[in-house]
Amino acid sequence: MALNKEEKKVQIKKFGKDEKDTGSSQVQVALLTKRIEQLTLHLKTNAGDKNARRSLLVLVGKRHSLLAYLAKHDYEAYEKLIQSLGLRK
């Protein structure tokens, strides 16, 4: 279920300041969004997987917290991020 190295590198390059910037809020939200998309597809075919459903809810909560932090501290970056990821406010 985890992202492979190539997918992570693409997201880090797209949203990070440089290739080693894995800790910024923008990169973390982008990586969480990709994981959430993967788990959503998994749950569409495996509706009875309760562990995956719980993991999905945990990831959505983490992403929500990071987005709230980003909106509070750097609203312009927040707006740009949700626009590029296609998220709702």
Side-chain angles (χ1 to χ4, degrees), residues 2-68:
L3 296 173
N4 60 24
K5 288 183 180 183
E6 292 81 24
E7 291 173 339
K8 282 185 181 183
K9 284 182 182 179
V10 169
Q11 294 300 317
I12 291 169
K13 185 177 259 187
K14 186 175 179 181
F15 294 102
K17 297 174 186 130
D18 58 14
E19 293 182 5
K20 295 184 179 182
D21 179 25
T22 58
S24 68
S25 298
Q26 292 93 333
V27 173
Q28 289 183 40
V29 169
L31 292 175
L32 284 172
T33 300
K34 284 296 178 186
R35 288 267 327 270
I36 288 169
E37 289 172 1
Q38 285 182 347
L39 276 174
T40 303
L41 290 175
H42 171 75
L43 284 171
K44 285 182 181 178
T45 58
N46 303 299
D49 191 352
K50 303 298 183 193
N51 291 328
R53 185 174 310 280
R54 184 182 186 285
S55 297
L56 177 65
L57 291 175
V58 168
L59 292 176
V60 170
K62 284 183 184 180
R63 183 177 71 178
H64 178 77
S65 298
L66 284 168
L67 284 171

